[in-house]
């Protein structure tokens, strides 16, 4: 399933070190193979529902004869979805904030039915505010 990550974006924006950069890059990587990260519309929750519907059509849990089944019927479809969407993003930083489009939000797409805690690593680089 696709989980709204408006809260994930809010957590990343609360990384106080962002404020130290005049311009730069924020690299985010998800340390898992059955979930993904993406930028997408974050205003209308129907987009998340439609995305989940489409991903489940592309990589359904049933009727595919997957050979990797040792972690359950939702695991291999989760790997397919994660590969399609990706597990890392690089977002520009401008004046201490992430540079996102008006409707964009960071989604953590959870593709397992009963997943555990997910971990991300954030790396910031760029020109410090104090630099002239």
């Amino acid at each position: 399933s696709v989980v709204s990550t408006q809260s994930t974006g809010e957590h990343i924006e609360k990384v106080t070190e962002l404020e130290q950069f005049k311009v730069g890059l924020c690299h985010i990587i998800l340390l898992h193979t059955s979930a993904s990260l993406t930028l997408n519309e974050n205003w209308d929750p129907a987009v998340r529902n439609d995305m989940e519907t489409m991903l489940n059509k592309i990589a359904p849990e049933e009727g595919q004869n997957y050979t990797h089944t040792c972690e359950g019927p939702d695991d291999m479809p989760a790997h397919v979805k994660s590969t399609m969407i990706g597990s890392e993003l690089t977002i520009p930083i401008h004046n201490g904030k992430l540079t996102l489009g008006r409707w964009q939000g960071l989604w953590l797409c959870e593709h397992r039915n009963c997943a555990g805690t997910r971990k991300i690593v954030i790396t910031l680089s760029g020109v410090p505010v104090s630099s002239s």
Side-chain angles (χ1 to χ4, degrees), residues 49-62:
N49 296 334
D50 291 343
M51 182 65 76
E52 181 171 7
T53 298
M54 292 308 300
L55 288 171
N56 287 334
K57 286 182 180 184
I58 293 167
E61 289 182 22
E62 297 176 7

Side-chain angles (χ1 to χ4, degrees), residues 59-64 66 68-79 81 111-113:
E61 289 182 22
E62 297 176 7
Q64 297 303 305
Y66 297 115
H68 174 68
T69 58
C70 61
E71 295 181 60
D74 65 335
D75 190 49
M76 190 58 217
H79 293 310
K81 295 169 189 175
H111 304 303
R112 297 296 306 267
N113 295 329

Side-chain angles (χ1 to χ4, degrees), residues 2-54:
V2 177
V3 175
S4 163
T5 60
Q6 183 174 9
S7 61
T8 300
E10 290 169 356
H11 287 299
I12 291 170
E13 289 172 356
K14 289 180 183 174
V15 173
T16 57
E17 290 84 359
L18 273 172
E19 298 171 2
Q20 298 173 12
F21 293 93
K22 184 175 182 179
V23 295
L25 295 174
C26 173
H27 182 261
I28 308 159
I29 186 166
L30 176 66
L31 302 179
H32 303 275
T33 61
S34 57
S36 56
L37 292 172
T38 189
L39 289 176
N40 211 315
E41 180 176 319
N42 214 34
W43 179 77
D44 183 358
V47 174
R48 291 185 291 275
N49 296 334
D50 291 343
M51 182 65 76
E52 181 171 7
T53 298
M54 292 308 300

